Amino acid sequence: MLRISIFILISLLVPMIISLVSSVINKSKIVKLLMLVGLIMIFISNNILFTDLLNKELGIVAIYIFIILSIILFDTLGGVISLLVSLPVLILSDISVISLTYQILFFLITILFLGRVFNIIQNKLKNSIQLNLKLSSQIKELRGLREVSALLQGTLELDKILHIILSSVTAGSGLEFNRAILFLIAGEDNVLKGNIGIGPLNQEEGLKIWENIAKDKINLEEMIFIQQELEATHIELNDLIQNLVFDLNKDNIATKAIENQQSYNIKWMNPDDNFQCELAAKLGMEAFALVPLIVKGNVIGILTVDNIVNQKEITYEDIDSLLPFANQAAIAIQNAKLNKLKEDMVIKDNLTGLYNQRFFQTSIKDKIEECREKETCLALMMIDIDYFKVYNDNNGHPAGNEALKQLSSILASNVRDEDIVCRFGGEEFSIILPNISQKLALSIADRIRRKVSESKFKNQETQPKSKVTISVGVAVFPKDASGDRELLNVADEALYYAKLCGRDNVKLYKDYLIDKKK
């Protein structure tokens, strides 16, 4: 009874110890080896404790079971080891040398046969599992691409398109990268500029939020909603990203990816590469992958991904999965840019890039309606270049066009973000200023006038005052007018009055009325 209790105790303790150790180390080969050692311990204890109780047939059966279990764990090698362990038991048993030889030979044949059979079964199972995993991954990618395509069809706005693409790369039901960042090429400057990013700012933040997103298999639409909730995080991240600018004439991994039109998987940051150093310093990247966005053989930008939260290694298979999304992103971005260009051709002036008179007519009506609803004010500036005909006659129309472009730049850079600057026609410009007082509108108008007067224009000495100047008329809704047409007329009258008063000045419509009453 005592021997049986000891055997049961050993049989229970060995698997428990193996299970405990395997849960800590999580290495399949070591776990298998531990299991083999456990089998040996159980087999030896069985033979030590029960040699006198078991007959020869049961002993042989025990050896067969031991060998089969060992083969399952370690193929033919496991069977050979189990046979070597069993040899002392066979030798010490009272069987003849010939029987022992035949028994060992039979065991070897059994080991080789069963080892080969189990090896074939294992390979088939392994191939089947790998094929199923690959098919599952491909189905997942196709589902993600279909989801992205459906959402992209609903918009041609570049910001929304970029948001959808990056969301698809980071969503739990998508490719599951922790973070995705998009850089676009600014053609005129030949630089690569950070545009938009999605993901945590750092690892600590990611551990709070983004790990749950991957774990819960968040789908694309849910991901977009969550990111709207995390707007403050995105603002901080994108402030950093949008300040990243890289000269494409310099040698770095981004330039190489663009020139070679090739993806790269960076596992260790290169301290001599300014692109990698900036990403490491500003965004805490330790490893990343980058994929060029290619449309009809031309690179328009780069998509960069990393796993800042879970530190999961990015494989080349991961990059292959990313390529279809990058291709789709490139096409969508290009289509959005072309659509924006078409829209701009309708509403913008070709020469100056400012809004045209058609857009002005629509905007002034809409803004006045908003003012009526909110009971706020709106100011309108009408601007004219003084003696512009003289400038054209003396310097030619190409120089006149350059002067118009220079003036447009001054106007656009000296107003608020919500103000609308338009080229009204010829040398005349207009600025719509919503939600503004008459005093502030007058201050902005005079600042613009001074900026123009102080700016250096080509051949400006040919002008009557040896410089290019402007006259400005300002009218305010609803104080000076009750509708859009009337507001335009009174602002024009204020401009005419500014010219009568010697040019290079700003006049309010009320100034014109006061002078008219005299």
Side-chain angles (χ1 to χ4, degrees):
M1 187 68 186
L2 178 62
R3 287 189 292 177
I4 294 172
S5 300
I6 293 170
F7 178 70
I8 292 170
L9 183 64
I10 292 170
S11 300
L12 289 173
L13 279 175
V14 169
M16 285 174 64
I17 293 167
I18 291 169
S19 176
L20 182 64
V21 174
S22 64
S23 66
V24 175
I25 59 177
N26 197 25
K27 299 284 186 181
S28 59
K29 285 188 178 180
I30 298 176
V31 171
K32 284 183 178 180
L33 188 59
L34 284 171
M35 291 175 72
L36 182 59
V37 171
L39 278 173
I40 292 170
M41 289 175 65
I42 293 170
F43 176 76
I44 291 171
S45 66
N46 170 67
N47 281 279
I48 290 172
L49 294 168
F50 299 109
T51 303
D52 58 336
L53 300 177
L54 298 174
N55 57 33
K56 294 177 186 177
E57 288 76 13
L58 285 176
I60 296 297
V61 170
I63 293 172
Y64 269 118
I65 293 170
F66 177 43
I67 287 172
I68 290 169
L69 290 174
S70 300
I71 289 170
I72 291 171
L73 288 175
F74 271 103
D75 299 327
T76 306
L77 177 63
V80 172
I81 292 171
S82 64
L83 179 58
L84 291 173
V85 172
S86 305
L87 276 177
V89 175
L90 290 169
I91 292 168
L92 292 172
S93 62
D94 58 344
I95 59 174
S96 66
V97 175
I98 296 172
S99 297
L100 178 62
T101 306
Y102 280 130
Q103 196 68 59
I104 292 171
L105 185 62
F106 191 74
F107 277 136
L108 281 173
I109 293 169
T110 303
I111 289 167
L112 292 172
F113 174 74
L114 290 178
R116 180 60 181 162
V117 169
F118 279 115
N119 186 259
I120 291 169
I121 292 170
Q122 282 180 339
N123 286 336
K124 285 191 174 182
L125 282 172
K126 190 184 292 182
N127 291 336
S128 178
I129 290 168
Q130 287 177 346
L131 181 61
N132 285 333
L133 287 172
K134 191 173 182 180
L135 287 171
S136 176
S137 176
Q138 289 174 346
I139 289 168
K140 183 179 177 181
E141 289 170 27
L142 288 171
R143 190 186 296 119
L145 285 169
R146 184 181 63 189
E147 199 174 359
V148 172
S149 298
L151 288 171
L152 288 178
Q153 286 173 8
T155 181
L156 278 170
E157 293 181 36
L158 184 58
D159 288 346
K160 286 185 179 179
I161 285 171
L162 299 180
H163 198 72
I164 290 167
I165 292 293
L166 295 192
S167 297
S168 69
V169 173
T170 53
S173 62
L175 301 184
E176 299 183 22
F177 292 106
N178 295 165
R179 185 166 56 179
I181 298 166
L182 196 68
F183 296 86
L184 294 179
I185 295 173
E188 293 179 2
D189 303 325
N190 197 34
V191 295
L192 187 68
K193 290 185 177 180
N195 190 280
I196 185 175
I198 283 180
L201 191 63
N202 50 53
Q203 189 177 28
E204 291 74 20
E205 179 187 272
L207 288 170
K208 293 177 189 172
I209 303 166
W210 296 87
E211 204 169 41
N212 293 329
I213 290 172
K215 182 181 69 178
D216 296 338
K217 301 297 177 187
I218 301 297
N219 67 32
L220 185 51
E221 290 189 75
E222 290 171 331
M223 186 70 172
I224 291 170
F225 175 77
I226 287 170
Q227 288 160 4
Q228 289 170 351
E229 296 290 311
L230 300 172
E231 186 178 355
T233 299
H234 290 324
I235 290 171
E236 195 173 351
L237 175 67
N238 283 301
D239 280 346
L240 282 174
I241 291 169
Q242 286 159 14
N243 284 320
L244 294 174
V245 181
F246 301 96
D247 187 350
L248 291 177
N249 295 316
K250 291 185 178 179
D251 184 28
N252 55 49
I253 193 64
T255 305
K256 195 180 292 185
I258 291 167
E259 288 176 352
N260 298 338
Q261 297 192 3
Q262 183 179 336
S263 302
Y264 288 92
N265 191 6
I266 307 303
K267 297 181 183 293
W268 299 277
M269 305 301 269
N270 180 358
D272 298 325
D273 187 306
N274 71 313
F275 184 82
Q276 295 182 46
C277 288
E278 283 286 288
L279 295 189
K282 302 286 178 64
L283 301 168
M285 282 192 182
E286 296 178 2
F288 66 95
L290 70 167
V291 178
L293 306 178
I294 306 169
V295 181
K296 296 179 180 178
N298 296 316
V299 180
I300 63 169
I302 283 178
L303 177 61
T304 304
V305 294
D306 75 330
N307 288 323
I308 190 172
V309 180
N310 55 25
Q311 300 294 308
K312 180 183 174 185
E313 183 181 352
I314 298 173
T315 65
Y316 287 98
E317 287 78 13
D318 293 332
I319 296 175
D320 286 341
S321 300
L322 187 59
L323 289 175
F325 288 85
N327 292 335
Q328 195 169 36
I331 294 167
I333 291 166
Q334 190 70 359
N335 288 341
K337 285 183 174 181
L338 290 172
N339 184 68
K340 183 72 167 59
L341 186 61
K342 288 178 184 176
E343 287 180 351
D344 286 350
M345 288 174 68
V346 174
I347 63 173
K348 288 196 173 180
D349 174 58
N350 290 335
L351 177 66
T352 63
L354 300 178
Y355 291 111
N356 57 24
Q357 188 179 147
R358 179 187 298 176
F359 186 80
F360 169 83
Q361 300 290 356
T362 305
S363 297
I364 193 73
K365 287 180 182 178
D366 292 343
K367 293 299 179 184
I368 284 178
E369 284 304 314
E370 284 181 22
C371 287
R372 284 199 179 104
E373 290 174 10
K374 297 177 182 178
E375 297 183 351
T376 56
C377 297
L378 176 145
L380 175 63
M381 291 183 200
M382 294 302 293
I383 301 165
D384 191 78
I385 303 176
D386 299 326
Y387 304 112
F388 191 63
K389 186 177 183 304
V390 175
Y391 188 90
N392 271 336
D393 290 344
N394 289 333
N395 301 296
H397 288 283
N401 288 340
E402 289 302 313
L404 288 171
K405 288 196 279 187
Q406 186 177 343
L407 174 62
S408 300
S409 177
I410 294 170
L411 297 179
S413 60
N414 282 280
V415 294
R416 305 169 304 167
D417 290 341
E418 64 266 37
D419 297 335
I420 301 168
V421 185
C422 308
R423 184 184 180 192
F424 199 77
E427 70 269 25
E428 199 168 7
F429 298 81
S430 60
I431 304 177
I432 303 169
L433 302 96
N435 306 314
I436 198 168
S437 66
Q438 186 183 73
K439 183 178 180 181
L440 182 56
L442 181 63
S443 173
I444 292 173
D446 197 56
R447 183 180 67 209
I448 291 171
R449 180 198 63 79
R450 281 186 281 106
K451 285 281 184 182
V452 174
S453 179
E454 292 165 2
S455 296
K456 176 75 174 173
F457 287 80
K458 185 179 179 181
N459 298 332
Q460 63 181 21
E461 59 277 1
T462 61
Q463 289 297 89
K465 292 184 179 180
S466 295
K467 59 183 178 178
V468 173
T469 61
I470 58 170
S471 298
V472 187
V474 182
V476 179
F477 170 87
K479 184 176 181 180
D480 297 328
S482 58
D484 56 288
R485 289 190 178 182
E486 187 182 358
L487 184 65
L488 178 58
N489 289 336
V490 296
D492 238 356
E493 288 178 347
L495 172 61
Y496 179 71
Y497 180 62
K499 285 187 169 292
L500 283 178
C501 293
R503 295 180 171 85
D504 190 20
N505 60 36
V506 177
K507 293 295 180 184
L508 296 168
Y509 178 64
K510 74 169 189 176
D511 297 331
Y512 167 73
L513 291 179
I514 291 169
D515 190 62
K516 193 176 179 181
K517 289 177 181 178
K518 289 180 182 178

